[in-house]
Amino acid sequence: MRFGGWFSLPVLSVILLALVSCGKEEASQAKKEKRISESIAVLGALPESVVDPPDNPTSAKKVELGRYLFYDPVLSGNRDVACATCHQPDFNYAEFLETSIGVNGTGHDSKRQFRTPNTIPFVKRNSQSVLNTAFNGIQNHVDYDPVRAPMFWDLRAKSLEEQALIPIQSLEEMRGEAYSEETILTEIITRIRKIPEYQALFSAAFTGETNPIQAKNLAKAIAAYERTLVANNSRFDQYMRGDSNALSVSEKDGLNLFLRTGCAKCHQGPMLSDFKLHTLGVPDTQNRKESDAGINNNYAFRTPTLRNLRYTAPYMHSGKFVTLDQVLLFYEDVAGGKVENPHVTAHQIDPLARKMDVNFRDISSIIEFINTLNDDSFDKTVPTRVPSGLKVKGNMD
């Protein structure tokens, strides 16, 4: 029987059902592909060059001076700890400790401990890597401004220049108890001015200045050196620059899972970080008596970069997770409603974390992708001596 001059009703129903089914499948596939494509677009390769602040252009002499200062314990109150004590080349310019031991410490790596007697606390948070901090805050399709680069787990400083002086003034990191926060920089500058080699190095780095040994120039030199510590040619970078063979099929699967589970909602851009504060309920370190509520007292901490994680364990601001598996299992628990920090309530947890879709079966694939972000080609040069004559990297024997 014909219907309206076309087909019978049963035949028409079959055709319509097939068309609708096909349309749904195509729409679903298109939506899936669009989601992945748009998500990939929020990631990116690191630039192949670094942008300097207008008032601190790099130079070989400035970098040379900054390297010496980075490794010289003359910058600490007790002359026993340097920047490099907690930011070591072998650990991606971080270190393998839950939270660091700065002033009054001895030994290195897992054997580092406090001298006795001791009244100095552990450093409050896990030592973040200095590597690639020249790109902190970078976003896709936005001109990079190194003057506004966010620093620290709580974003309390902008730029490497501002960041450089803060550990020197911190009690447990480099200052110690012999000097106050207000007097320590004056003491450090006084010391450096008495060292002939530093007099020559500062004069060469800051030509034309009549009195170049100043705190602002100390910060500029350290920042200039830190901007040379980059690892911007990982296989992921090569892939994002157009080399489709830089990642294996399984690593690409891991990338797609990384995007679909919601990881890229916060881990985005070339540094795979939105550089924003998020409350996740990460457990506190047991190295400190007090709970760390963060700068806003809401337990929010900055999204860390995912680059070179092979070398920077343990993870999170408290250093509580030793492996990436533990980190991803934590996110699975958060999405399931579990809160691991007793000081944080469920309604405080960031909605982006609650909406993640991390499953145990996907973890190994996601980690396989994350490992494509590793790049071991960064500068690991350690000076054999420092101008002060003190131990390079401080007291780590």
Side-chain angles (χ1 to χ4, degrees):
M1 176 181 177
R2 311 274 294 179
F3 180 76
W6 290 91
F7 300 101
S8 66
L9 185 58
V11 173
L12 181 62
S13 298
V14 170
I15 293 173
L16 290 175
L17 182 61
L19 289 172
V20 170
S21 177
C22 181
K24 284 183 178 180
E25 289 180 4
E26 289 178 354
S28 176
Q29 181 65 23
K31 183 178 180 181
K32 178 181 178 182
E33 291 176 354
K34 181 180 180 182
R35 180 173 67 245
I36 293 173
S37 176
E38 288 178 347
S39 296
I40 289 175
V42 306
L43 306 180
L46 282 174
E48 297 184 75
S49 60
V50 170
V51 177
D52 299 323
D55 68 341
N56 191 24
T58 192
S59 70
K61 294 294 185 182
K62 199 179 292 183
V63 170
E64 178 188 22
L65 170 59
R67 189 191 304 273
Y68 279 133
L69 291 168
F70 188 85
Y71 285 92
D72 199 334
V74 75
L75 270 61
S76 64
N78 295 344
R79 296 179 174 88
D80 63 344
V81 61
C83 303
T85 307
C86 301
H87 300 283
Q88 303 170 35
D90 291 343
F91 295 99
N92 196 89
Y93 289 91
E95 67 170 335
F96 187 65
L97 285 178
E98 187 171 298
T99 60
S100 298
I101 294 174
V103 177
N104 203 37
T106 183
H108 57 87
D109 304 340
S110 60
K111 296 180 180 179
R112 187 163 175 79
Q113 59 187 346
F114 284 110
R115 291 174 175 270
T116 53
N118 177 63
T119 57
I120 300 291
F122 279 84
V123 173
K124 195 171 186 177
R125 294 168 189 150
N126 180 258
S127 176
Q128 285 196 318
S129 173
V130 176
L131 197 69
N132 286 328
T133 48
F135 303 115
N136 270 20
I138 192 170
Q139 300 177 40
N140 287 324
H141 316 301
V142 177
D143 289 338
Y144 184 64
D145 183 3
V147 176
R148 298 180 57 81
M151 299 290 160
F152 296 112
W153 280 107
D154 57 11
L155 308 179
R156 68 185 183 276
K158 300 289 186 184
S159 82
L160 282 168
E161 284 77 9
E162 182 178 348
Q163 180 275 334
L165 299 180
I166 294 177
I168 299 173
Q169 298 170 288
S170 171
L171 167 69
E172 60 267 43
E173 292 186 59
M174 298 180 71
R175 172 166 60 88
E177 296 176 313
Y179 302 92
S180 68
E181 186 175 350
E182 292 73 28
T183 61
I184 184 62
L185 287 177
T186 300
E187 166 64 19
I188 299 305
I189 295 303
T190 299
R191 293 178 190 175
I192 292 175
R193 285 175 177 168
K194 294 177 181 178
I195 301 172
E197 188 174 355
Y198 271 132
Q199 294 172 12
L201 287 166
F202 270 87
S203 294
F206 299 96
T207 56
E209 296 191 24
T210 57
N211 190 17
I213 302 180
Q214 304 285 349
K216 65 179 180 64
N217 286 343
L218 185 151
K220 286 181 177 181
I222 294 175
Y225 165 63
E226 291 177 336
R227 288 194 178 92
T228 69
L229 304 177
V230 297
N232 55 357
N233 194 35
S234 68
R235 289 191 295 114
F236 172 74
D237 291 307
Q238 296 166 27
Y239 178 75
M240 294 300 289
R241 292 173 189 143
D243 183 359
S244 61
N245 295 320
L247 303 186
S248 68
V249 172
S250 60
E251 289 166 345
K252 291 174 185 176
D253 289 342
L255 167 58
N256 288 334
L257 284 169
F258 176 86
L259 299 169
R260 288 201 296 269
T261 55
C263 299
K265 293 292 184 182
C266 298
H267 292 285
Q268 57 185 245
M271 281 287 278
L272 284 93
S273 171
D274 60 5
F275 292 94
K276 295 179 180 178
L277 301 175
H278 299 277
T279 301
L280 302 175
V282 177
D284 284 315
T285 176
Q286 299 305 303
N287 290 338
R288 305 270 298 208
K289 293 181 180 179
E290 74 279 8
S291 179
D292 185 0
I295 196 168
N296 296 324
N297 292 316
N298 62 353
Y299 289 85
F301 297 93
R302 193 195 89 189
T303 305
T305 179
L306 298 184
R307 289 182 171 273
N308 278 37
L309 294 185
R310 176 186 298 160
Y311 313 103
T312 59
Y315 306 110
M316 313 303 268
H317 75 275
S318 58
K320 288 302 294 182
F321 301 137
V322 178
T323 68
L324 291 177
D325 295 78
Q326 291 176 345
V327 174
L328 287 168
L329 286 170
F330 165 78
Y331 280 114
E332 182 183 32
D333 289 342
V334 170
K338 183 177 179 180
V339 181
E340 294 198 22
N341 191 314
H343 302 282
V344 178
T345 61
H347 80 271
Q348 288 180 278
I349 301 297
D350 195 295
L352 291 175
R354 292 203 303 265
K355 293 176 183 177
M356 289 182 67
D357 185 24
V358 179
N359 294 304
F360 178 79
R361 65 179 181 272
D362 298 330
I363 287 177
S364 61
S365 295
I366 293 174
I367 292 175
E368 189 172 1
F369 158 66
I370 291 174
N371 283 331
T372 70
L373 295 161
N374 296 319
D375 175 11
D376 192 43
S377 63
F378 55 90
D379 180 13
K380 306 177 186 68
T381 306
V382 178
T384 57
R385 50 169 296 280
V386 288
S388 68
L390 297 168
K391 293 180 179 179
V392 176
K393 293 194 289 187
N395 188 2
M396 300 185 70
D397 295 336

